[in-house]
């Protein structure tokens, strides 16, 4: 009996030793898998796709790090007030808290929102959208990473793998109004907007300081009621700097398939982000008017949920 147990133990031990090591994702495979998501984020938020990809490659070790595999966190973003799930691991200090996502796509989206909603990164959006070198040095300057060579590591990855080919050369950043210099101050003399296009072809502008609904409506020869209707807003709506304002009717579907819901997302914000009518968005997701999505859920942008 002891001999039989010994033999079984040997077989089990040999079997465990013979198991192949977990296959690691190559850098080229990572690029192939995620370059379209990086391009999607560029169209939505203006961050060069090359930068997003390079950061994902560097921060997640091509998607092979424990943080990427077990927490879907490809950008090393720590909790910093995060109310969702978390993942604990050693970093600059022991037992640091990192954000944990339902999907890697949610990590890409949160990375974009992390950069667009923190004032210390605001200056980056004044750069040309394909200036990956400026973005790399700017991220280091703003304190995204502590490694003193961080900018050069990103640039080396981008140049070696030609990631700049994924940047959208036709992307147009919101134009700043021209100014006239006097002895006292810089006075805005013209506040015209250059419209941009969503992937589904709907025209929109980005609200600037001093904008009003009336001002935008007049500029594009619209009535106030039209502008409110195009944006699913009531007449008491408040316009804020950075708001997306559509100057033509949104469409019944978006070009993207889905949206991963993050903290602070509302159905209206999602409808504005993708240029889809709010009523259609509710209908596609079998939701009641006024109902809001749960953090971590997925909102369909094309097909109706069954």
């Amino acid at each position: 009996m002891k001999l039989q147990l010994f033999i079984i133990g040997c077989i089990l031990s040999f079997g465990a030793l013979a198991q192949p090591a977990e296959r690691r994702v190559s850098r080229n495979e990572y690029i192939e898998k995620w370059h379209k998501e990086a391009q999607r984020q560029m169209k939505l938020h203006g961050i060069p796709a090359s930068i997003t990809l390079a950061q994902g490659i560097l921060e997640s070790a091509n998607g092979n790090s424990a943080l990427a595999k077990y927490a879907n966190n490809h950008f090393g973003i720590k909790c910093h007030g995060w109310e969702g799930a978390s993942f604990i691991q050693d970093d600059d200090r022991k037992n640091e808290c990192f954000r944990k996502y339902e999907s890697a796509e949610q990590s890409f989206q949160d990375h974009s929102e992390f950069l667009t909603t923190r004032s210390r990164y605001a200056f980056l959006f004044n750069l040309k959208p394909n200036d990956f070198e400026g973005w790399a040095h700017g991220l280091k300057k703003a304190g995204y990473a502590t490694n003193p060579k961080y900018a050069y590591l990103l640039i080396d990855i981008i140049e070696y793998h030609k990631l700049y080919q994924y940047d959208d050369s036709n992307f147009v950043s919101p134009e700043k109004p021209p100014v006239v210099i006097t002895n006292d101050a810089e006075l805005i003399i013209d506040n015209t907007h250059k419209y941009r296009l969503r992937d589904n072809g709907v025209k929109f502008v980005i609200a600037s300081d001093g904008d009003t609904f009336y001002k935008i409506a007049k500029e594009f020869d619209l009535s106030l009621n039209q502008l409110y209707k195009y944006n699913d807003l009531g007449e008491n709506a408040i316009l804020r700097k950075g708001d997306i304002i559509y100057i033509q009717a949104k469409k019944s579907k978006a070009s993207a398939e889905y949206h991963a819901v993050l903290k602070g997302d509302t159905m209206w914000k999602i409808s504005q982000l993708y240029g889809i009518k709010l009523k259609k968005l509710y209908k596609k997701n079998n939701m009641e008017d006024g109902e809001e999505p749960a953090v971590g859920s997925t909102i369909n942008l094309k097909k109706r949920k069954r």
Side-chain angles (χ1 to χ4, degrees), residues 24-207:
R24 291 177 64 82
V25 178
S26 71
R27 184 164 292 183
N28 286 336
E29 287 173 329
Y30 185 91
I31 294 167
E32 179 61 27
K33 183 174 183 178
W34 295 113
H35 75 272
K36 288 184 180 178
E37 181 63 27
Q39 288 178 306
R40 188 174 80 92
Q41 294 300 324
M42 180 173 187
K43 289 176 181 177
L44 290 173
H45 300 285
I47 302 163
S50 59
I51 284 291
T52 298
L53 274 173
Q55 284 195 281
I57 287 168
L58 187 59
E59 298 288 347
S60 75
N62 309 321
N64 295 302
S65 70
L67 192 59
K69 287 191 296 183
Y70 304 121
N72 286 314
N73 187 332
H74 284 229
F75 298 93
I77 298 180
K78 296 178 182 177
C79 289
H80 298 305
W82 175 254
E83 294 182 1
S86 61
F87 183 85
I88 305 299
Q89 72 170 22
D90 295 346
D91 192 52
D92 296 327
R93 300 182 181 89
K94 287 184 69 65
N95 297 324
E96 293 208 70
C97 181
F98 290 84
R99 299 181 181 190
K100 183 177 181 180
Y101 305 100
E102 294 292 325
S103 66
E105 287 84 359
Q106 194 178 19
S107 173
F108 274 77
Q109 186 173 311
D110 192 40
H111 169 258
S112 295
E113 296 199 8
F114 185 84
L115 295 182
T116 56
T117 58
R118 282 161 174 74
S119 59
R120 73 175 187 264
Y121 299 113
F123 71 96
L124 292 169
F125 294 88
N126 294 323
L127 299 172
K128 292 181 180 179
N130 55 0
D131 181 7
F132 63 84
E133 291 187 349
W135 269 83
H137 288 291
L139 285 167
K140 176 63 185 75
K141 180 180 178 181
Y144 191 96
T146 56
N147 188 331
K149 296 181 179 179
Y150 190 74
Y152 297 103
L153 292 172
L154 293 179
I155 292 169
D156 285 348
I157 291 170
I158 291 169
E159 291 183 335
Y160 184 82
H161 295 282
K162 298 182 174 62
L163 300 185
Y164 46 75
Q165 67 182 298
Y166 301 116
D167 290 338
D168 184 356
S169 60
N170 296 316
F171 182 87
V172 180
S173 296
E175 286 193 338
K176 292 182 178 179
V179 299
V180 58
I181 307 300
T182 70
N183 291 330
D184 300 317
E186 293 185 350
L187 303 176
I188 297 175
I189 60 173
D190 187 10
N191 196 33
T192 57
H193 302 80
K194 186 167 184 176
Y195 71 78
R196 296 158 64 182
L197 286 174
R198 276 280 173 253
D199 284 356
N200 61 356
V202 188
K203 295 177 181 178
F204 69 98
V205 297
I206 304 293

Side-chain angles (χ1 to χ4, degrees), residues 34 46 142 213 220 225 290:
W34 295 113
F213 287 111
F220 291 99
N225 285 338

